[in-house]
Amino acid sequence: VLSGCGVYDGTEIHEASAILVHLSRGGAEVQMYAPDVPQMHVIDHSKGQPAEAESRNVLVESARIARGKIASLAKLTTADHDAVIFPGGFGAAKNLSTFAVDGKDCKVNREVERVLRDFHKAGKPIGLCCISPVLAAKVLSGAEVTVGHEDEEGGKWPYAGTAGAIKELGGKHCVKEAHVDTKNKVVTTPAFMCETALHHIFDGIGAMVKNVLKLTGK
């Protein structure tokens, strides 16, 4: 499930690509979805600032990553899939929810909430990375997730405060490089929540994908 195209206002592209590579290596068939809604705003990634005069659609932008093969999130059903995975990027906190603005009082996109609840109820695994575990913490009360460490450690974990927000949302935060909540079948990894080499992020995402596939029992 994508949230746009670009780390500051949509899906983190390296995370989406890593997930797709690991899914391919694991032999999975993949269908990509995104909500058909306007983005919260558009960020000029060369400046890190909002582009005031622009507006973009989350589904249209996500189609860039999906190479055009994408459907509206409203069409995603548990009957058609064994698992669901959410990459990170600020789009998860801006377009899939209002977490970037409202923190613990955030609202989650109606279709995103439906998908999370439906897969949870069906006992099918849910994978999330980077900031997207906040979605599970908000919707699935008591879910165990990780966004990495709870202290910045000299800038290595610049978004460490998110761990506290997860607790306020009703989730349980685990200080790990990857975590499997076997009860809720929720698998999470920090990805770009950590300032580290790209291959470490790629490997962490690989562990998440591997565990999601394992939980499908296929």
Side-chain angles (χ1 to χ4, degrees):
V1 175
L2 303 177
S3 62
C5 182
V7 57
Y8 298 122
D9 59 8
T11 300
E12 211 301 319
I13 297 168
H14 296 292
E15 291 176 9
S17 180
I19 290 168
L20 290 168
V21 170
H22 288 296
L23 284 170
S24 176
R25 184 170 286 152
E29 293 182 26
V30 178
Q31 170 65 54
M32 283 174 268
Y33 297 89
D36 188 1
V37 296
Q39 289 186 186
M40 177 185 132
H41 60 185
V42 177
I43 297 291
D44 179 338
H45 281 61
S46 69
K47 299 175 181 176
Q49 298 173 347
E52 300 295 348
E54 284 197 53
S55 64
R56 299 189 186 184
N57 177 279
V58 175
L59 178 61
V60 172
E61 290 302 293
S62 297
R64 294 175 179 271
I65 297 174
R67 298 172 62 89
K69 296 177 181 178
I70 195 163
S72 170
L73 187 58
K75 296 181 179 179
L76 174 53
T77 66
T78 57
D80 295 332
H81 301 285
D82 298 312
V84 64
I85 295 180
F86 290 80
F90 280 98
K94 293 178 176 180
N95 304 326
L96 303 188
S97 72
T98 63
F99 180 76
V101 177
D102 299 323
K104 66 180 178 64
D105 298 318
C106 68
K107 293 182 175 64
V108 176
N109 172 278
R110 181 171 52 86
E111 292 296 341
V112 172
E113 181 171 355
R114 175 189 64 79
V115 167
L116 288 169
R117 291 195 186 281
D118 285 356
F119 274 81
H120 182 256
K121 185 178 179 181
K124 295 185 174 183
I126 300 165
L128 312 103
C129 65
C130 196
I131 192 68
S132 66
V134 300
L135 302 171
K138 174 69 176 181
V139 175
L140 308 175
S141 183
E144 298 176 0
V145 301
T146 186
V147 290
H149 288 217
E150 298 181 357
D151 299 300
E152 290 190 22
E153 298 182 15
K156 184 179 180 182
W157 296 91
Y159 308 106
T162 306
I166 280 169
K167 295 173 186 176
E168 292 179 323
L169 286 167
K172 180 180 178 182
H173 186 260
C174 304
V175 179
K176 285 186 175 182
E177 303 304 315
H179 182 67
V180 181
D181 177 348
T182 53
K183 178 185 176 184
N184 292 298
K185 291 191 176 180
V186 173
V187 187
T188 50
T189 191
F192 278 100
M193 298 296 275
C194 181
E195 290 288 339
T196 188
L198 183 59
H199 69 279
H200 290 312
I201 292 165
F202 184 87
D203 291 346
I205 288 171
M208 181 266 284
V209 171
K210 186 176 181 179
N211 279 295
V212 167
L213 294 177
K214 184 178 178 181
L215 284 172
T216 66
K218 296 287 178 88

